[in-house]
Amino acid sequence: RPEGEKWVITNMGVPINSNYDDFGIRFEGVREAGYLSSNRGERRGHDAIYRFELPEMEVVVQGIITDDKNQPIPDALVRLVSNTGQNTKVRVRKDGSYRIRIDKDMECVMLATARGFLNKSARLSSEGVTDSKTYTVDMSLPAVFRPVQLDNIFFEFAKWDLTPDSETGLQELLAVFNDNPNTLIEISAHTDYIGNNQANQVLSQRRAQSVVDYLIKAGVDKERLITTGYGEEKPFVVDESTVAKHPFLTIDTALTMEYILTLKPEEQVIANQINRRTEFRVVRMNYK
């Protein structure tokens, strides 16, 4: 302590201080670790030497990288760049998980990549952290050249007007374009078999166009967009993730009118809902 100043004595509390005779302490240099002597827990009053260490504060970001079918991508890479100069790249484990130690009081951008999948970015801030903390950032990478269903885009009944509930899904789709600036992507819409086939094709075309108009207004180059309305021409083909939600369906089965009519009435409603979908598909990866 500087000369002339008084000592400020503070009881450090358990486990450093106890209600026994704690009479000696020694630190390991400047580390928050060392040894102390005490007769705590000694039946005959003997003294013992205890080692102590204050765990270093650790801020970590971890998560799992999956595909759009919620399956882990074992060969994905995660890169993290911060405004404090941290630049880290890690390969995920076989189960798709990763773990990166980061600085406190930092802003960072993360990017997940994998062969055969589109990129996905995320942002993270550890500003104001005063204790150890673990952030969880999971990222799902859309597949390349395979239709990816957009689950959070909704339209008014029998119309092509986007509902307010679609904003989250549309922003997620916009992020795909921003994270992958060299892609040419088809936006497609599909209907069920109910109603006139020609009317369904027109409806689906206009619904796909509504999504494209939103993206163009948000700044996406219209030359990167293809609009297609398939109507009822391309029934959904059941995959594993769909069976997990609806066990009455069979994997690799197309939800055609003939197949749906063999189901129970309540199951037919679900199958028709699955067919009414909006999708995107990568056509080219080298646009401009």
Side-chain angles (χ1 to χ4, degrees):
R1 64 182 174 85
E3 186 177 352
E5 291 188 6
K6 295 182 179 180
W7 287 99
V8 177
I9 301 174
T10 303
N11 187 306
M12 297 179 67
V14 177
I16 300 299
N17 288 135
S18 71
N19 57 354
Y20 290 88
D21 185 12
D22 309 318
F23 61 92
I25 190 169
R26 172 72 68 176
F27 286 88
E28 295 181 359
V30 296
R31 296 188 65 232
E32 298 287 349
Y35 301 86
L36 62 84
S37 54
S38 174
N39 64 355
R40 67 184 71 179
E42 300 291 332
R43 293 183 179 181
R44 297 183 180 181
H46 294 168
D47 298 323
I49 297 176
Y50 296 86
R51 187 180 188 282
F52 63 86
E53 181 175 1
L54 179 65
E56 185 179 354
M57 190 178 86
E58 186 178 62
V59 185
V60 171
V61 56
Q62 64 181 23
I64 298 178
I65 309 302
T66 60
D67 63 16
D68 52 289
K69 301 298 183 181
N70 211 29
Q71 297 300 310
I73 305 176
D75 60 344
L77 291 173
V78 178
R79 184 176 183 180
L80 181 147
V81 179
S82 79
N83 61 347
T84 60
Q86 182 173 352
N87 191 334
T88 304
K89 182 185 290 186
V90 298
R91 187 175 296 277
V92 304
R93 304 181 185 92
K94 290 183 178 180
D95 62 355
S97 65
Y98 72 93
R99 186 177 189 273
I100 301 174
R101 185 172 178 175
I102 63 175
D103 303 324
K104 63 177 181 178
D105 296 324
M106 63 174 270
E107 302 281 345
C108 70
V109 177
M110 302 172 63
L111 184 70
T113 62
R115 185 183 298 275
F117 296 89
L118 294 176
N119 301 333
K120 185 69 174 290
S121 67
R123 292 184 176 274
L124 177 67
S125 172
S126 60
E127 295 286 345
V129 172
T130 58
D131 202 353
S132 295
K133 185 170 183 177
T134 298
Y135 294 91
T136 299
V137 178
D138 299 328
M139 287 185 274
S140 177
L141 309 189
V144 173
F145 306 122
R146 182 181 73 195
V148 177
Q149 190 167 340
L150 301 168
D151 295 324
N152 298 319
I153 293 181
F154 310 99
F155 299 92
E156 299 288 351
F157 178 73
K159 297 180 180 179
W160 52 89
D161 301 304
L162 291 161
T163 68
D165 293 338
S166 301
E167 185 64 26
T168 298
L170 290 167
Q171 285 295 315
E172 291 174 355
L173 179 58
L174 180 60
V176 171
F177 282 86
N178 292 336
D179 292 340
N180 303 271
N182 295 318
T183 53
L184 175 65
I185 292 179
E186 176 195 58
I187 305 295
S188 63
H190 304 257
T191 68
D192 55 33
Y193 63 83
I194 299 173
N196 179 274
N197 185 31
Q198 184 177 0
N200 283 337
Q201 196 281 325
V202 172
L203 176 63
S204 62
Q205 180 72 31
R206 290 177 174 174
R207 284 183 168 179
Q209 188 62 49
S210 293
V211 176
V212 166
D213 290 343
Y214 178 96
L215 295 171
I216 293 174
K217 187 177 180 180
V220 177
D221 186 346
K222 64 180 181 180
E223 298 298 326
R224 296 178 59 195
L225 294 159
I226 297 175
T227 309
T228 308
Y230 288 104
E232 58 191 77
E233 294 177 5
K234 288 193 173 184
F236 182 80
V237 178
V238 179
D239 54 25
E240 291 184 7
S241 61
T242 307
V243 172
K245 297 177 184 177
H246 309 292
F248 65 88
L249 296 174
T250 304
I251 294 178
D252 295 331
T253 300
L255 298 183
T256 62
M257 179 179 68
E258 292 75 18
Y259 173 77
I260 292 176
L261 290 176
T262 66
L263 302 175
K264 299 176 182 178
E266 61 273 18
E267 294 172 347
Q268 293 183 26
V269 173
I270 294 173
N272 282 325
Q273 288 175 342
I274 295 172
N275 268 335
R276 297 192 298 267
R277 66 198 189 277
T278 305
E279 297 177 334
F280 76 85
R281 179 178 63 89
V282 176
V283 178
R284 285 173 53 193
M285 291 290 290
N286 59 346
Y287 167 78
K288 290 190 178 180

